Amino acid sequence: MNLRFTPQIVKIATIGIFIVFALCIYPVSRAHPWSDDWIYPEIYGASWSDFFHWVIAQHVDHRIPIIKLAQYTLLKISKFDFRVLLLFNAAMATAGALALAGVARLHRGSAHWGDLVIPLTILNFGFGLYAWAFSAQFSFCIALSFLFLYLLIKSQSTNSKLQLLAAMAALWACALCGMNGAIVATVIAAAILAFALRCKAWKTQPAMVFGPALVLVMNATIFLTWQPSGATLATQADPAAHMLSWARHLVESSFIVDSWLQGAWRPILCALLFAAALARALIYLVQTLRRGNADMARVAIYATILAYAMLFLSIVLGRSRSGEWSPGLEMHYGYLVIALVPLSWIIVTESGQKSLARWALAAVLLVAYGHAFRWGALYRFHDVRDNNVQYTNATLAIGSEEAPQALAKRKIDSYFFVDTPDTQETVAQGIAKLRQVGGPLYKAPAAASN
């Protein structure tokens, strides 16, 4: 493939996936709240003091002020059409994929047709970000860490202080996207700070020192004030077996729907790719820390893959407490470690040298993840087609004259993933609020809600 056009092909593929979502999936997606989404109509009309406390308050295990502010603002503008949040989720993921493709090109010195693995993995339609607004909790930190990487590497090549500051702002925002983002940002910031101090970067790039330091101070506050949820505190029999189950399935979670079809080659392929990239990163970081002459752009890439390896371990240790792995968790928890695949590809091909092994690796990854993308797309298209009538009726029912409590009890499966007195009450209160402040979606006549 002509290298001159390779970057454009990767960009076209990435943007093309977003266009397909916007034209074919977004219009027929669920427009009403689902599960955690109900926190948004609930807070509408609160005082500024209550709203501020809501923004910074912990949601289950996570503090997600960036996500809350962005999503609530979009919902107010759209009159609580939750499809807008799905579009925003897709736009953020697309921006992250474009940024990482830029990282590959800048780091390697050229684009490679194997870089198509970036959109094929990160933008697989099987992931929950295309179906559930609140799935932003699983996806925003990924996109922001990729934007951080691109801006930092770009700042090193252009010697731009503004781009370096923007990179640090992206890392700061990543840390405010839940415990997942806080873990990733902490590892990255600690590595950047250590190497910046070792290389005396404060003399030429003070932001390389003060930026990560501020992120670490903020994250220390987040960790010290963290209150674990019941799921985190839960204990299970045979924890070792559960951890092995979670580790095995997380390794292959980048295949999403395709991973449900089983096949031992998938986790083996991913494990070998991850191991090769992590070994290369650790060897470089240890040797460079001793010498004290680090390439900060390269340090950032290696620190990022280490950060996601650490996040991988934290998910295995933390979430395995709540039970054994079950199919479908790839859509949410799997996305948190999706970065390991494209980052590993970038690292193992960073020399830029043409070789049969590199060509073969690119071919294997594109065939494997192209197949996985196809399955993810088919799954999503069938999902919105098969559930569109249910989505439409559930949305129209909110605008009916049926009592909120009765409606919440009758159709709770359409509004929440569990049925308890608490979830019914949450949905009932949300329905009452949407009837007051929601847009045309929630103003349907009663007859239309049957």
Side-chain angles (χ1 to χ4, degrees):
M1 185 179 291
N2 192 328
L3 291 178
R4 178 182 177 185
F5 298 106
T6 302
Q8 284 70 34
I9 291 172
V10 175
K11 290 177 184 177
I12 290 170
T14 303
I15 297 173
I17 292 171
F18 175 78
I19 292 173
V20 169
F21 172 79
L23 294 179
C24 303
I25 300 175
Y26 156 73
V28 291
S29 296
R30 180 168 41 217
H32 61 268
W34 166 253
S35 294
D36 301 64
D37 295 341
W38 289 98
I39 68 171
Y40 293 116
E42 180 183 2
I43 197 61
Y44 186 92
S47 66
W48 281 107
S49 176
D50 289 342
F51 181 77
F52 174 76
H53 285 97
W54 172 80
V55 167
I56 64 173
Q58 195 169 299
H59 181 80
V60 191
D61 279 314
H62 308 275
R63 294 192 191 278
I64 49 174
I66 296 293
I67 296 172
K68 284 181 176 179
L69 284 172
Q71 292 198 329
Y72 183 73
T73 300
L74 289 171
L75 285 173
K76 286 193 68 176
I77 294 172
S78 67
K79 298 294 184 181
F80 289 89
D81 183 345
F82 281 76
R83 291 173 299 179
V84 171
L85 300 190
L86 297 181
L87 194 65
F88 188 58
N89 287 354
M92 283 291 293
T94 302
L98 289 171
L100 193 60
V103 168
R105 186 176 66 254
L106 291 171
H107 181 60
R108 197 188 295 123
S110 63
H112 188 279
W113 56 274
D115 293 343
L116 285 168
V117 75
I118 295 172
L120 287 177
T121 53
I122 297 171
L123 304 180
N124 190 309
F125 285 145
F127 283 118
L129 67 97
Y130 293 105
W132 181 31
F134 214 78
S135 193
Q137 179 180 323
F138 299 94
S139 61
F140 271 38
C141 66
I142 310 294
L144 289 166
S145 66
F146 291 164
L147 289 170
F148 156 77
L149 261 186
Y150 176 76
L151 290 166
L152 187 139
I153 294 174
K154 191 71 173 176
S155 73
Q156 299 306 286
S157 62
T158 61
N159 196 28
S160 170
K161 294 180 180 180
L162 184 60
Q163 288 176 338
L164 181 57
L165 288 173
M168 295 306 164
L171 187 62
W172 173 81
C174 175
L176 293 176
C177 290
M179 289 297 288
N180 312 307
I183 291 171
V184 169
T186 296
V187 176
I188 294 174
I192 295 293
L193 181 60
F195 281 88
L197 292 174
R198 181 73 174 85
C199 300
K200 300 180 180 179
W202 64 82
K203 295 181 178 179
T204 55
Q205 294 180 305
M208 197 70 79
V209 174
F210 295 112
L214 289 174
V215 170
L216 290 175
V217 170
M218 179 181 68
N219 285 353
T221 304
I222 291 174
F223 293 135
L224 290 172
T225 59
W226 177 60
Q227 296 293 324
S229 68
T232 301
L233 292 173
T235 57
Q236 294 286 336
D238 199 5
H242 286 174
M243 286 190 285
L244 286 174
S245 173
W246 274 76
R248 191 264 191 203
H249 289 289
L250 270 182
V251 165
E252 64 174 349
S253 61
S254 52
F255 289 98
I256 308 302
V257 180
D258 207 11
S259 69
W260 301 351
L261 305 178
Q262 303 305 316
W265 65 270
R266 293 183 182 87
I268 292 173
L269 171 66
C270 292
L272 290 175
L273 182 64
F274 300 164
L278 288 170
R280 190 162 189 161
L282 286 170
I283 291 170
Y284 174 84
L285 291 174
V286 171
Q287 292 178 344
T288 304
L289 190 59
R290 290 174 180 172
R291 292 194 302 263
N293 58 343
D295 175 352
M296 295 306 294
R298 197 171 182 183
V299 166
I301 293 176
Y302 291 168
T304 303
I305 195 170
L306 290 179
Y308 281 104
M310 185 63 69
L311 181 58
F312 180 100
L313 291 175
S314 71
I315 294 171
V316 170
L317 293 173
R319 289 302 161 216
S320 61
R321 288 173 170 267
S322 60
E324 199 169 357
W325 179 276
S326 61
L329 290 177
E330 296 93 343
M331 296 182 179
H332 308 300
Y333 292 110
Y335 199 79
L336 291 171
V337 295
I338 191 67
L340 287 170
V341 176
L343 284 171
S344 295
W345 157 254
I346 293 170
I347 290 172
V348 299
T349 61
E350 64 186 355
S351 66
Q353 295 177 353
K354 296 180 180 179
S355 67
L356 180 60
R358 178 175 166 176
W359 190 95
L361 177 61
V364 168
L365 290 177
L366 290 190
V367 170
Y369 283 102
H371 189 262
F373 185 88
R374 173 180 174 272
W375 273 105
L378 289 174
Y379 170 83
R380 186 59 61 209
F381 284 128
H382 284 295
D383 180 65
V384 294
R385 182 196 66 189
D386 295 343
N387 290 293
N388 183 250
V389 172
Q390 177 190 344
Y391 293 160
T392 301
N393 288 340
T395 303
L396 292 176
I398 294 175
S400 70
E401 295 181 357
E402 184 176 358
Q405 289 76 12
L407 176 57
K409 183 176 182 179
R410 180 172 67 88
K411 294 179 71 70
I412 189 64
D413 289 346
S414 296
Y415 301 126
F416 223 102
F417 76 97
V418 291
D419 183 2
T420 69
D422 287 342
T423 59
Q424 288 185 21
E425 182 60 26
T426 296
V427 171
Q429 292 178 3
I431 289 172
K433 188 67 68 70
L434 286 174
R435 288 176 178 176
Q436 298 174 12
V437 302
L441 283 171
Y442 310 110
K443 307 300 181 186
S449 67
N450 295 328

